[in-house]
Amino acid sequence: MKACSVRVRGVIQGVGFRPFVFRLARLHTLSGWVANCGDGVEIHVQSADDSLDSFLRKLREERPPAAQLTSIDVRRYDFAATFESVVRARPVAGRRSDPQSGCSEAR
């Protein structure tokens, strides 16, 4: 199983970026999750095939028009456990994202 964690920073909240990631992951039959965090989103996706490269390429090239990405950091690794589907996570009610927190609500 191949996997990657992706941290996308920029103006991407409130522009349909998480639903875009969800649809893109489903299109590539990936599983994992995507969640808002301080200055962007954190994504974890995994696959048994080579579809991660296509997913990452389209993440950069086909993003929503209003999304303004400042950086995309990707960490790849082999992964033993599996998720059964993609989940669009939301922050816990009443908690606010702290840009210095390293996405604590996504953990």
Side-chain angles (χ1 to χ4, degrees), residues 21 31-35 42-45 83 85-89 106-107:
V21 171
S31 58
W33 51 263
V34 57
E42 189 168 325
I43 303 164
H44 173 86
V45 287
F83 294 100
S85 64
V86 175
V87 177
R88 289 186 296 167
R107 298 191 198 289

Side-chain angles (χ1 to χ4, degrees), residues 68-94:
Q68 299 174 19
L69 281 57
T70 57
S71 69
I72 299 177
D73 301 315
V74 178
R75 185 180 62 191
R76 294 174 181 263
Y77 48 93
D78 290 327
F79 198 72
T82 61
F83 294 100
E84 292 185 16
S85 64
V86 175
V87 177
R88 289 186 296 167
R90 297 183 188 265
V92 176

Side-chain angles (χ1 to χ4, degrees), residues 2-4 30 45-47 50-56 76:
K2 301 291 183 189
C4 65
L30 303 176
V45 287
Q46 58 192 35
S47 176
D50 294 327
S51 59
L52 290 175
D53 290 330
S54 178
F55 169 82
L56 292 170
R76 294 174 181 263

